[in-house]
């Protein structure tokens, strides 16, 4: 088995090294990942500039490829000929924070896996639910060992077309991890704010800031599963169609005229 390992935290981050080392026990590993942090970059296809790739040496003296594109660009390059040998599985991570609920739409970790899914290669995104202000050195090894269990299962059972796995791993030592649970996407609560500032030339610029997202720890969701000490596995499909709404929207009158004082019916 030939496994492509990528991430969105950058090729030199500790999470990708721990993941690659575990994947080496399952087969041949090629690492191709961004040369810098692309967290929260979403699903990107770089079209307006060329992509450059260079070889780098990781902390364990293994070699990897570093690309100046997005995580999804890395996967695209690898699957379209940069990596000559056929790739059987793509794993992305281990991201340094959880990717829960609607985070998957922002996550470079998850969208790297989505890129592989688009091209028909089984893919899994791995994220570690480490606390926000953890002071020590984060140990990715327990999470990497859990990732190996998942990768083995995907290699054995396969994944249907159009589906990837989003895996979130609790920040716990091996003997406190309770097991694996299949979960649905939960609800994240975002606290974004806009900060408008003035640059030295008197022109405005903007930051999107605010506290980290919080989450609703409902049972059966990725968030609830992590809170219970289990590895959360959410199958995600790229078909985002809201099928149950199609008949209702099909009854809408496309010729109606809005009154001037119209209010949103959903508020
Ligand atoms: Mn990240």
């Amino acid at each position: 088995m030939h496994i492509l390992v990528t991430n969105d935290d950058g090729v030199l981050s500790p999470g990708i090294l721990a993941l690659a080392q575990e994947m080496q026990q399952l087969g041949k590993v090629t690492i191709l990942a961004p040369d810098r942090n692309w967290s929260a970059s979403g699903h990107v296809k770089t079209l307006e500039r060329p992509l450059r790739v260079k070889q780098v040496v990781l902390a364990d003296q293994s070699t990897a490829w570093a690309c100046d594109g997005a995580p999804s660009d890395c996967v695209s390059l690898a699957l379209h000929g940069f990596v000559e040998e056929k790739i059987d599985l793509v794993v992305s991570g281990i991201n340094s924070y959880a990717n829960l609920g609607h985070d998957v739409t922002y996550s470079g970790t998850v969208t790297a896996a989505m890129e592989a899914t688009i091209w028909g290669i089984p893919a899994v995104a791995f994220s570690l639910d480490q606390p926000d202000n953890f002071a020590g050195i984060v140990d990715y090894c327990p999470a990497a060992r859990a990732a190996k269990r998942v990768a083995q299962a995907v290699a054995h059972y396969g994944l249907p077309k159009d589906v990837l796995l989003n895996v979130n791993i609790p920040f716990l030592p091996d003997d406190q991890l309770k097991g694996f649970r299949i979960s649905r996407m939960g609800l994240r609560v975002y606290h974004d704010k806009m900060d408008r500032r003035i640059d030295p030339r008197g022109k405005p610029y903007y930051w999107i800031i605010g506290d980290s997202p919080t989450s609703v720890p409902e049972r059966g969701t990725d968030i609830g599963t992590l809170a219970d000490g289990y590895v959360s596995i959410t199958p995600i499909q790229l078909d985002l169609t809201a099928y149950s709404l199609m008949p209702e929207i099909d009854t809408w009158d496309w010729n109606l005229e809005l009154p001037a004082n119209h209010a949103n019916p959903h508020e």
Side-chain angles (χ1 to χ4, degrees):
M1 180 159 62
H2 183 200
I3 305 167
L4 176 73
V5 180
T6 192
N7 76 347
D8 81 348
D9 294 335
V11 71
L12 297 179
S13 66
I16 194 172
L17 185 59
L19 181 60
Q21 286 175 339
E22 286 294 324
M23 293 302 120
Q24 271 155 12
Q25 298 173 29
L26 301 179
K28 180 180 174 179
V29 165
T30 299
I31 304 173
L32 171 50
D35 62 5
R36 69 202 77 172
N37 193 331
W38 279 80
S39 295
S41 64
H43 201 160
V44 173
K45 194 193 291 273
T46 297
L47 297 177
E48 297 295 324
R49 64 175 177 89
L51 296 169
R52 295 188 191 271
V53 184
K54 64 180 182 192
Q55 201 159 39
V56 293
V57 178
L58 303 186
D60 66 351
Q61 302 306 313
S62 62
T63 55
W65 296 103
C67 172
D68 66 354
S72 39
D73 290 324
C74 294
V75 172
S76 182
L77 286 185
L79 297 182
H80 291 105
F82 181 85
V83 177
E84 285 176 14
E85 195 180 323
K86 182 179 167 288
I87 292 165
D88 305 299
L89 174 69
V90 173
V91 295
S92 176
I94 297 169
N95 191 58
S96 54
Y97 295 99
N99 277 303
L100 304 166
H102 291 173
D103 293 348
V104 300
T105 65
Y106 295 108
S107 168
T109 308
V110 178
T111 52
M114 284 179 178
E115 184 66 22
T117 305
I118 283 177
W119 298 104
I121 308 297
V124 188
F126 295 103
S127 305
L128 176 62
D129 186 27
Q130 69 178 73
D132 247 352
N133 295 313
F134 186 71
I137 293 172
V138 173
D139 181 7
Y140 287 87
C141 292
R145 285 188 280 271
K148 182 184 161 196
R149 316 289 332 157
V150 176
Q152 283 188 119
V154 168
H156 177 78
Y157 295 103
L159 282 174
K161 205 168 167 285
D162 204 47
V163 172
L164 59 130
L165 297 184
N166 181 35
V167 177
N168 285 280
I169 303 160
F171 189 56
L172 293 171
D174 298 89
D175 59 354
Q176 288 176 38
L177 271 179
K178 287 193 188 153
F180 299 79
R181 263 195 201 158
I182 312 307
S183 332
R184 61 188 169 84
M185 281 167 62
L187 188 62
R188 277 291 223 187
V189 183
Y190 297 100
H191 305 286
D192 293 1
K193 289 185 190 131
M194 193 195 81
D195 191 3
R196 180 182 185 272
R197 300 186 183 193
I198 303 294
D199 76 13
R201 295 193 172 84
K203 290 192 171 150
Y205 65 100
Y206 308 89
W207 282 101
I208 297 171
I209 54 151
D211 295 333
S212 301
T214 48
S215 4
V216 181
E218 196 187 341
R219 258 213 153 199
T221 67
D222 44 12
I223 296 157
T225 295
L226 280 183
D228 287 344
Y230 290 84
V231 174
S232 165
I233 300 175
T234 304
I236 292 183
Q237 58 192 9
L238 294 192
D239 181 352
L240 302 177
T241 311
Y243 288 96
S244 63
L245 271 182
M246 290 171 74
E248 184 193 324
I249 294 175
D250 195 34
T251 66
W252 289 7
D253 175 5
W254 306 109
N255 293 315
L256 61 77
E257 301 286 341
L258 276 188
N261 60 351
H262 173 74
N264 186 339
H266 291 291
E267 276 171 7

